[in-house]
Amino acid sequence: MQLEIVPCRSCPLRELKTFARNSDAQLAFIQALKKQEVNLKRGEQILPEGGRTGELFTLLFGMAFRYRTLRDGRRQILNFLFPGDLIGLQEQIAVNSPHGVESLTDVKLCAFAGENLWELYRQHPRLGYDITWLAAHEEHIVDDNMLSIGRRTAIERIAMLLIHVFKRAEQSGLSSDGSAPFPINQQHIADALGLSLVHTNKTMRRLEKLGLHRIENNRLRLLKAGVLQRMADYFAMPLRARPLI
Amino acid sequence: MQLEIVPCRSCPLRELKTFARNSDAQLAFIQALKKQEVNLKRGEQILPEGGRTGELFTLLFGMAFRYRTLRDGRRQILNFLFPGDLIGLQEQIAVNSPHGVESLTDVKLCAFAGENLWELYRQHPRLGYDITWLAAHEEHIVDDNMLSIGRRTAIERIAMLLIHVFKRAEQSGLSSDGSAPFPINQQHIADALGLSLVHTNKTMRRLEKLGLHRIENNRLRLLKAGVLQRMADYFAMPLRARPLI
DNA sequence: CGGGAAGTTGACGGGTCTCAATGGCCGTGG
DNA sequence: CCACGGCCATTGAGACCCGTCAACTTCCCG
């Protein structure tokens, strides 16, 4: 729990060209919606799987992931979350949270009261439209991952994941000097790609020997992005400026 | 192309308890948005993969599926579509349609002009909220499928798919006397579950021998739904009435 | 120095894939 | 009426990708 709260107006995310600008009126409304700022450590639960918090978050800093598990413990990571991503929208719709969200790094979250979501649509339809944008965009990412898990080979999946994480980190301002933070261990990768831990390790070692990328000190660097893209048949689409709530 | 157009007010879908009621004003607005009714045969493209139509549809009757393909032809079915489902929302957000949509049966569609989507949010925030609801609900279904493909065994995946299709057909008024239409062949199942055609066939024969379900004349009947559910560790959540645009 | 988390490696078995061939059903045309 | 082709389901054989089990190493941190 942090004492000083950053006003939305001067939110550092809003300086990135990734995000669309908002009017002063919209910013004031978003500011009013904001309940508090939450800081969590790496490895904490942001949303409990199957639980209900009634809260809606925007990830301000750090990385996280959405996941679901079967009763015997098999876990599937649905997608990774980056600054600007909305957390908890599905809970506003289903009665219980169908998935969990866990932090991958220390994170900073902006917390809204979920009950106010409808007010947002009523008073600022444009922001409602933006939320739909974010929901559809996240679904698009899940679609990508599903194509991967269903139809790509292990090495293609890993290549795809590396490109995806790199691009998203770059867009959300987490990268610097050509390398992106990579707080994702091999168990995470296995769970995200539908592979076993052991096979993930062997495949990553194989890919590493090709010299297309490098992971050092929890940072990822793509050395031959073009080759990786062709290997995975994966080309992240360019995006117009995305909304930020 | 059909001559007589059903007024939204007397749309047969609206009689199902699955769908939430709308006010007269909302109905009038939806009606005004409606551009035309489209009828397509089984196996036709509703949305081209990678193309752009600018249109938004609601599926009124029949079944379809969303899919993506890799360049060498490997195909992944992302989810199946039932009456009441929205088609083409992602295209309103990305520049090009990232996925294709193809009909599984003869279908009837309600076509809207995509450009009017923003007007809908502006004039009827409640309907905007409903569209977010539909987007989040579809993402939830994709999440389900992803858990399946990533972490369930072949036989569990098929059990899960049978339950899922049965439930959704039931909710959308396609079922009768305890059986649901099943216009899905083994190639579709394979592509939906990330399996090969041959292995899908062998696994389905194995499941069939257990006597938990029956597929005859393109209709599906669940004989021991409870056993199937436990086998797949899959329990479709009860839903509140869903919106219909 | 001890202990736990994460990464690495080998051996082995099995689930799933590919290739190939066959049979059933059905609409079309001779 | 029958022959034919096309789509779909089915089945067997063999290969390989990937999962499981188990052991070991490395690194980090207390």
Side-chain angles (χ1 to χ4, degrees), chain A residues 66 68 71 74-75 78 90 93 121 125 132 136 138-139 143-144 146 151 156 190-191 195 233, chain B residues 66 68 71 74-75 78 90 93 121 132 136 138-139 143-144 146 151 156 190-191 195 233:
Chain A
R66 286 200 313 130
R68 293 196 48 190
R71 295 213 277 185
R74 283 175 283 177
R75 179 175 76 166
L78 303 166
Q90 278 191 45
I93 278 154
Y121 278 79
T132 305
E138 183 172 275
E139 183 182 349
D143 287 350
D144 267 356
M146 186 138 139
R151 289 307 184 204
E156 291 169 344
D191 287 345
L195 297 169
D233 188 11
Chain B
R66 288 200 312 130
R68 293 196 49 189
R71 294 215 277 187
R74 283 175 283 178
R75 179 175 77 167
L78 303 167
Q90 277 192 45
I93 278 155
Y121 278 78
T132 305
E138 183 171 275
E139 183 181 349
D143 287 350
D144 267 356
M146 187 138 138
R151 288 305 184 206
E156 290 169 345
D191 287 346
L195 297 169
D233 189 11

Side-chain angles (χ1 to χ4, degrees), chain A residues 133-145:
Chain A
W133 195 102
L134 290 171
H137 180 248
E138 183 172 275
E139 183 182 349
H140 177 255
I141 289 173
V142 177
D143 287 350
D144 267 356
N145 291 340

Side-chain angles (χ1 to χ4, degrees), chain A:
Chain A
M1 217 64 67
Q2 187 161 306
L3 290 183
E4 31 116 20
I5 290 192
V6 181
C8 297
R9 191 172 63 260
S10 47
C11 177
L13 282 184
R14 296 193 181 277
E15 290 168 15
L16 297 174
K17 65 177 184 315
T18 305
F19 296 100
R21 300 212 162 284
N22 285 104
S23 71
D24 288 342
Q26 287 168 345
L27 276 179
F29 185 80
I30 293 173
Q31 179 78 60
L33 225 53
K34 186 169 176 172
K35 224 170 58 180
Q36 59 175 331
E37 224 162 75
V38 178
N39 290 292
L40 294 176
K41 291 286 179 197
R42 168 186 172 99
E44 293 199 76
Q45 298 295 316
I46 300 174
L47 286 187
E49 190 180 10
R52 174 140 185 78
T53 68
E55 268 176 332
L56 195 60
F57 301 99
T58 292
L59 184 53
L60 291 184
F61 183 78
M63 290 170 57
F65 63 90
R66 286 200 313 130
Y67 68 92
R68 293 196 48 190
T69 54
L70 293 172
R71 295 213 277 185
D72 60 10
R74 283 175 283 177
R75 179 175 76 166
Q76 178 64 43
I77 291 182
L78 303 166
N79 62 298
F80 294 103
L81 299 169
F82 291 84
D85 282 347
L86 217 49
I87 297 175
L89 186 59
Q90 278 191 45
E91 290 65 45
Q92 300 303 320
I93 278 154
V95 176
N96 283 317
S97 172
H99 58 256
V101 177
E102 183 180 318
S103 59
L104 275 169
T105 64
D106 295 356
V107 293
K108 185 191 291 286
L109 302 161
C110 203
F112 305 102
E115 321 74 86
N116 295 335
L117 188 58
W118 163 234
E119 268 312 295
L120 176 145
Y121 278 79
R122 216 168 59 77
Q123 294 186 31
H124 288 273
R126 175 70 218 184
L127 296 180
Y129 187 85
D130 286 348
I131 285 183
T132 305
W133 195 102
L134 290 171
H137 180 248
E138 183 172 275
E139 183 182 349
H140 177 255
I141 289 173
V142 177
D143 287 350
D144 267 356
N145 291 340
M146 186 138 139
L147 173 61
S148 236
I149 298 176
R151 289 307 184 204
R152 277 187 250 250
T153 66
I155 203 167
E156 291 169 344
R157 294 183 211 185
I158 292 180
M160 186 275 193
L161 181 141
L162 295 179
I163 300 169
H164 177 75
V165 169
F166 188 87
K167 289 267 172 76
R168 290 225 59 202
E170 210 173 28
Q171 284 162 10
S172 44
L174 293 177
S175 299
S176 54
D177 57 286
S179 78
F182 198 76
I184 302 172
N185 66 28
Q186 296 188 350
Q187 185 65 62
H188 292 126
I189 297 181
D191 287 345
L193 301 182
L195 297 169
S196 73
L197 175 59
V198 174
H199 195 65
T200 299
N201 177 280
K202 288 175 180 171
T203 308
M204 288 194 72
R205 306 244 57 209
R206 193 149 60 91
L207 185 58
E208 193 182 323
K209 287 206 188 81
L210 297 178
L212 307 180
H213 75 285
R214 196 180 312 150
I215 297 176
E216 265 172 0
N217 298 325
N218 293 323
R219 295 195 71 85
L220 165 67
R221 190 181 295 271
L222 303 187
L223 303 176
K224 298 181 183 173
V227 181
L228 278 174
Q229 290 185 7
R230 255 168 286 130
M231 174 184 291
D233 188 11
Y234 176 69
F235 307 87
M237 45 164 197
L239 278 183
R240 341 176 184 171
R242 54 178 283 161
L244 175 63
I245 306 287

Side-chain angles (χ1 to χ4, degrees), chain B residues 8 11-14 19 22 30-31 33-40 46-47 55-64 81-89 91-92 101 107-114 117 120 127 130-131 134 138 168 172 242-245:
Chain B
C8 297
C11 178
L13 282 184
R14 296 194 181 276
F19 296 101
N22 284 103
I30 294 173
Q31 178 78 60
L33 226 53
K34 186 169 178 174
K35 224 171 58 180
Q36 59 175 332
E37 224 162 73
V38 179
N39 290 291
L40 294 176
I46 299 174
L47 285 186
E55 269 176 330
L56 196 60
F57 301 99
T58 292
L59 183 54
L60 291 184
F61 184 79
M63 290 170 57
L81 300 169
F82 291 84
D85 282 347
L86 217 48
I87 296 175
L89 186 59
E91 289 66 45
Q92 300 303 319
V101 177
V107 293
K108 185 192 291 286
L109 302 161
C110 204
F112 305 103
L117 187 59
L120 176 145
L127 296 180
D130 286 348
I131 285 184
L134 290 171
E138 183 171 275
R168 289 225 59 202
S172 44
R242 52 179 285 161
L244 175 63
I245 307 287

